[in-house]
Amino acid sequence: NSKLRHVEKDVLIPQIMRDRAKELCSDKVQAFTKCCQETGLLMVVKCRQENTALKDCLVGYYSDPLFYEECKTEYLKQREEYRATGIKKKRQKLT
């Protein structure tokens, strides 16, 4: 049964999308983080370029229908495994 509840469509799948997009945009996440650490309070002004690059990367994934379908498929697979085993699988974080 692949029918999705409201919470799955609006919360759980977008969470997978955010996690995966952060992994896929990790170079931009690191550049923005480094810039913020180096500039402190002036980060709003000095890190604008890094922030824009990061936002563009993330939004590119969030608005991609194929990426949504990939994440939906991943979610359904996890849901199926959970229903079969009763064991919730933790998402692996890439470091």
Side-chain angles (χ1 to χ4, degrees):
N1 181 4
S2 64
K3 188 146 172 56
L4 294 171
R5 295 173 304 159
H6 166 71
V7 72
E8 292 173 316
K9 276 190 274 194
D10 296 344
V11 178
L12 300 174
I13 294 172
Q15 181 61 55
I16 290 174
M17 291 176 75
R18 279 191 297 277
D19 292 346
R20 287 198 54 211
K22 278 186 199 161
E23 290 168 7
L24 294 165
C25 298
S26 65
D27 57 332
K28 287 156 187 72
V29 171
Q30 287 173 345
F32 179 65
T33 303
K34 185 173 183 241
C35 180
C36 290
Q37 288 170 341
E38 289 172 357
T39 56
L41 294 173
L42 296 172
M43 68 183 166
V44 176
V45 177
K46 296 213 177 208
C47 301
R48 214 175 265 151
Q49 194 174 342
E50 288 84 354
N51 188 32
T52 301
L54 175 56
K55 270 199 273 190
D56 289 348
C57 183
L58 295 172
V59 169
Y61 284 109
Y62 298 157
S63 58
D64 180 351
L66 288 175
F67 185 67
Y68 176 84
E69 289 302 318
E70 278 177 36
C71 293
K72 181 174 124 182
T73 301
E74 181 179 330
Y75 171 76
L76 289 171
K77 196 173 120 202
Q78 288 174 7
R79 185 178 78 173
E80 190 179 317
E81 285 175 17
Y82 173 72
R83 287 178 176 175
T85 65
I87 300 167
K88 188 169 176 143
K89 182 178 175 245
K90 292 268 187 218
R91 241 184 87 60
Q92 292 178 331
K93 298 270 185 208
L94 294 181
T95 51

